[in-house]
Amino acid sequence: MSERLRIIGGARLHGEVQVAGAKNSVLKLMAATLLAPGTSRIRNVPDIADVAIMTDLLTRLGCVVESQKGSVTIDVPDEPGHRADYDLVRKMRASINVLGPLVARIGKAEVALPGGDAIGSRGLDFHLKGLMSLGAHAHNEHGYIIANAPDGLHGAELFLDFPSVGATENLLTAAVLAKGTTTIDNAAREPDIVDLCEFLINMGARIDGLGTSLLTIHGVECLQPADHHTLPDRIVAGTWAFAAAITKGDITIKGGRVEDLELPLEKLTSAGAIVTSTEDGFRVKMNSRPHSIDVATLPYPGFPTDLQPMVLALNAIADGTAIVTENVFEGRFMFVNELVRLGAEINVDGHHAAIRGVEQLSGAPVAATDIRAGAGLVLAGLISEGTTLVEDSFHIDRGYPNFVEDLRRLGANIVREKVEDE
Ligand code: UD1
C-alpha cells in the first residue's frame, strides 16, 4: 500500500507552526558521529523518514542508535564497518556523507554510487577529487566507490569548481583527522555547514572560516563524542512562509530564523506579503493576490533551489509574469508538468521557466517526484479549486515532519489516503 494526499483547495491558512531541526543538517551530524568512538547525542531531530534511513545505515556500520522524542544517541564502536549499501544510498543520497568520516577514521570506505534522481545527475567528482588530494586512493567498482587511505590522510589545498554542499561536508569531515592543514576554497556556506562545523568543533576539531567560502582545517589526532542541538530547518520554515503568501493566510513560524532566509523573505515582501519578526521566529501575512516574483536559484546566501517549487506555485496564481532560473540542479523543472496539470501556464526553456499567473488553478491528480516538488504541489493544491490528489506522498515524509497534521491545524482541508499498489 502506498499513500497519497487528498486536498480540497480554498482555505486561507491561519495560526502557528513550530519548525523542527533541519533535515540537511541532522543527517550530516549523524554521519559525522562516526569520527569518534563513544556516544554522541543529537537534539532537535525531526521525525522524518530520512532520519530512519540514516539510523539504518549507522546501525549496519555497527553503531547502536537510540531515538528518544526529538533526539538520537549514537554509540559508535572502536571499529565501525565501512560499507554503505546500495539499497540505502538509492533511497537517500545523504548516505554518501559517511564517506569522509569513514576514510578519515578507519582508512577505508565502500559507498554505493547514488545514481541519478528526479532532480538531476548529481555527480560525486568533487568529493573524489578532494579525497584523492588528501591522500586517499579511490576508484569505482561494481557500482561502489572504493576509497582507501591505509597510511591516513594529509592536509591539502582544495578548490571546489562549484560550492557543493555534499562535497564541502565530505571533505571537511575527512580533513578534521588529516595530518596537517587543509583549506577548502569556494566551499559551500549553507547554515547547515556552519552547524556541522560547530558540531565538529565540539568534538575537538580545529576549523576556521565558519560561514565563509574559505574553510581552514587544522587536523587533530582524534575526536571525542559530543552533544549538539540541530539548527532549525530553513527550508521547512520557508515552505510555511510561501504557504502563508499563496493562500492569503497568516502564519507565525516559531523557530524559523529570518537570518537564514533573507532573500526568500525579501522576495515574499515584493510579492506583497507582510513579514515581521517575532520573539522566537517570524510571521508572514498576505492580504491580497500575490504579485509575480522573478527568482534565480544560487548557492547560499543566494535563493535556495529547495524553495524553487514553492516559487513556481506562487507565480502560478500571481498577478503578472515571472522568470524563474534554476542554476543548481538541471532536472529540477521536471515537476512543472504536474503544475501544468493543475492549470498553471509555464514554459520551460533550458534552465529558465516563464510563468504567467492565472486567477485560479483547478484540482487534478498529480504525482510528487521529490521532497520539495511534493511540498510545492501540496501548496498548489491548497489554492486549486476542487480536489487535488498528490500521489507518491512518501517523498514529502522524507523531509517534512507532521506536514499534514500541521496543515490541518492551520485550516487546510487535507487527508492522507492509502492506495492499493497496482
Ligand atoms: C544538498 C541538499 C539539497 C540541496 C542542495 C543544494 C542535502 C541532503 N541535500 O544536496 O537539498 O538542494 O544541497 O543546496 O543536504 N555537483 C557536481 N559534482 C560533485 C558534487 C556536486 O557536479 O561532486 C553538482 C550537482 O550535480 C549539482 C550542484 O553541484 O548540480 C550542487 O550540488 P550539491 O551542493 O552537492 O548538492 P547536494 O549536497 O547533493
Side-chain angles (χ1 to χ4, degrees), residues 23-24 27-28 93-94 119 121-127 162-167 169 190 305-306 328-330 332 372:
K23 170 182 92 74
N24 286 355
L27 299 172
K28 326 309 175 57
R93 188 183 150 91
I119 63 173
S121 62
R122 304 176 91 175
L124 286 180
D125 46 336
F126 309 154
H127 302 237
F162 186 89
S164 151
V165 172
E169 292 162 345
E190 269 66 3
T305 174
D306 286 350
V328 182
F329 288 116
E330 82 267 24
R332 206 139 214 187
R372 311 301 172 189

Side-chain angles (χ1 to χ4, degrees), residues 7-8 16 32 74 81 92 105 128 139 148 200 207 239 251 258 285 295 308 311 323 331 412:
I7 306 162
I8 299 173
E16 280 184 1
I74 301 165
M92 184 187 72
R105 167 98 195 282
L128 298 184
H139 66 282
N148 288 291
L200 294 169
I207 308 168
T239 301
I251 305 181
V258 278
K285 186 168 190 280
V295 165
Q308 182 253 90
V311 173
I323 302 284

Side-chain angles (χ1 to χ4, degrees), residues 335-348 361-362 364 366 377:
F335 93 113
V336 162
N337 290 335
E338 305 297 312
L339 270 184
V340 168
R341 288 182 51 74
L342 299 174
E345 293 190 12
I346 309 179
N347 286 308
V348 174
L361 297 176
S362 68
V366 289
L377 287 171

Side-chain angles (χ1 to χ4, degrees), residues 163 187-191 211 234 258-262 298-304:
R189 292 194 272 159
E190 269 66 3
R234 75 199 151 96
V258 278
E259 64 270 32
D260 293 345
L261 283 165
E262 275 182 15
L298 279 174
Y300 190 84
F303 195 98

